Amino acid sequence: MAARRLSSLLSRSLHFPSASAPLGRSHGVPRHINRFCTAAAVEELTTPPVQVNFTKLLINGQFVDSASGKTFPTLDPRTEEVIANVAEGDAEDINRAVAAARKAFDEGPWPKMSAYERSKIMLKFADLVEKHNDELAALETWDNGKPYLQAAQAEVPSFVRLFRYYAGWADKIHGLTVPADGPHHVQTLHEPIGVAGQIIPWNFPLLMFAWKVGPALACGNTIVLKTAEQTPLTALYVANLFHEAGLPPGVLNIVSGFGPTAGAALASHMDVDKLAFTGSTETGKTVLGLAAKSNLKPVTLELGGKSPFIICEDADIDHAVELAHFALFFNQGQCCCAGSRTYVHERVYDEFIEKAKTRAMRRVVGDPFKKGVEQGPQIDSEQFQKVLRYIRSGRDSSATLECGGDRFGSKGYFIQPTVFSNVKEDMLIAQDEIFGPVQCVFKFKDIGEVIKRANNTRYGLAAGVFTKNIDTANTLTRGLRAGTVWVNCYDVFDAGIPFGGYKMSGMGREKGIYSLSNYLQVKAVVTPLKNPAWI
């Protein structure tokens, strides 16, 4: 399962028969799954079939309270109720975690052990995660609100695949022998960069953990990871499994806390050698500034997007509607590379609008633990209100609201799948990253025009192209300024496929061979040769 394309697994998770027995215990079994257009409230909710066992900070191999003793609540976005109270780390805890990571790097076994030994620990960890697939998926759904089957059948298996991929790279990282213009032996060494600070977002907590931690460990680094305050639970769960697999103390440290305190302290710490951040573009600017003002540590950034999804006149409209729907609404629209600007050729525009509206009206919104549900709640109150403000902005700017446009039910952070037509480039909903279930549809006339319009944005993370014509596809893929261009597919993620953005969508690449360079230093070693047989 884990080796299959993530897109295939995600697509499978979106199409199930009508609701059957819920997962775990339920407060009440509904007779049917409510669709957003007819439901007055979210159905009775399933009790998550998992316990919360890890809520403290992980420092030097031990789960400990924060130095201040403070905690903060992590909420169930389905109910707005507290799941657990988690230790709240701040600058003092970052200092403790960095000190542990520094000692583990300078004096501990991890950077010094053979790459093969590191690989074996990472593989054992992947095996343990695979055994705990269902518990991890349930915890991810409970803390984040994403559909359980998406987490269980796609995201946790992809997490496992990523760690096996990077475990395979551990003993294949090496330098070169370089010919010189004289009697010298020249070689390059690829060495771990040191203590890596990593800050991950809330929309894909497990996958972002893997994208960051996997390559850093494969290269022999130690880590201080700050989780998103909205979703701290699964990182702590898997960290315990990592130590069960034999990871030495201090190699991986996890601090849960808030951006202005723990995040800022990590970004500006003088003893952190490299920083990796995934999140919004505005926060990315702050992180980059803090890193520059401290010890000028190198930074990789995976930031926001406003990705175009271009549907040409020769498209199979039914297929295009489904793919465009998936590109935008997947993960409640909370995806940095969401196809959030849907460009449709004028000859098929009206047909597309009607079918896109119908598809959105059929989208099943509800308890993400129940089979058949395609869309759970937004992550928290802040994001919920932000999306509703953008919807109001779309209405006020005279875009045509085809469906949705309001909250779903009266409890939790659920929003109706929303479709706007007649969207213009100067509208706020066309320019800003909404990060919610709001599809904005534009009309275009020809390829040259749509390339210019698609590129007329501060972002450049991803793009989608839907056409039967190979020449059209080639023209668009070369013309679009984006880090990933999907042709007749979308959200195809594989461990070996690099991911990152142009322009204000970030710096550097995640996944694949390209991510290894983020966590390595290159050292040139030059030695004179005496009477060499050859040069």
Side-chain angles (χ1 to χ4, degrees), residues 392-401 420-424 427 429:
R392 289 194 293 271
S393 171
R395 285 170 161 166
D396 294 343
S397 60
S398 300
T400 302
L401 180 64
F420 280 106
S421 63
N422 297 315
V423 180
K424 308 299 181 187
M427 296 178 180
I429 59 171

Side-chain angles (χ1 to χ4, degrees), residues 62-73:
Q62 300 293 320
F63 287 102
V64 298
D65 292 323
S66 62
S68 67
K70 291 182 180 179
T71 63
F72 66 93

Side-chain angles (χ1 to χ4, degrees), residues 155-204:
E155 295 185 19
V156 179
S158 182
F159 179 98
V160 172
R161 175 68 180 94
L162 280 155
F163 270 95
R164 288 177 176 153
Y165 174 85
Y166 284 113
W169 264 115
D171 61 357
K172 299 170 187 66
I173 297 169
H174 54 77
L176 302 171
T177 300
V178 182
D181 290 339
H184 291 87
H185 173 74
V186 182
Q187 67 183 88
T188 60
L189 302 177
H190 290 183
E191 300 180 344
I193 200 166
V195 175
Q198 301 179 329
I199 302 173
I200 60 174
W202 47 257
N203 56 334
F204 293 98

Side-chain angles (χ1 to χ4, degrees), residues 281 304-306 431 433 457-461 502-505:
T281 295
K306 192 70 175 173
Q431 297 177 357
E433 185 179 33
T457 172
R458 59 188 179 274
Y459 299 112
L461 190 56
Y502 288 28
K503 298 186 280 188
M504 293 180 73
S505 285

Side-chain angles (χ1 to χ4, degrees), residues 112-151:
K112 298 178 179 66
M113 71 171 59
S114 73
Y116 177 57
E117 291 300 316
R118 289 201 303 269
S119 174
K120 288 198 296 184
I121 292 172
M122 294 175 72
L123 289 171
K124 185 176 180 181
F125 167 65
D127 291 344
L128 288 171
V129 171
E130 194 167 49
K131 290 178 181 178
H132 291 80
N133 183 97
D134 294 351
E135 301 101 294
L136 271 168
L139 196 59
E140 190 86 329
T141 293
W142 194 6
D143 208 18
N144 173 274
K146 66 177 68 241
Y148 172 81
L149 290 177
Q150 174 186 317

Side-chain angles (χ1 to χ4, degrees), residues 23-59:
L23 299 159
R25 294 176 291 115
S26 176
H27 296 298
V29 180
R31 294 184 178 179
H32 63 280
I33 296 289
N34 291 320
R35 287 171 169 77
F36 88 85
C37 54
T38 59
V42 177
E43 68 272 14
E44 293 294 319
L45 300 176
T46 299
T47 299
V50 66
Q51 297 285 329
V52 178
N53 296 320
F54 303 99
T55 59
K56 296 185 178 183
L57 311 180
L58 176 66
I59 298 177

Side-chain angles (χ1 to χ4, degrees), residues 188-227:
T188 60
L189 302 177
H190 290 183
E191 300 180 344
I193 200 166
V195 175
Q198 301 179 329
I199 302 173
I200 60 174
W202 47 257
N203 56 334
F204 293 98
L206 279 172
L207 287 180
M208 296 301 100
F209 180 104
W211 287 20
K212 297 285 190 294
V213 173
L217 292 185
C219 293
N221 299 280
T222 59
I223 296 167
V224 177
L225 176 79
K226 192 201 87 68
T227 54

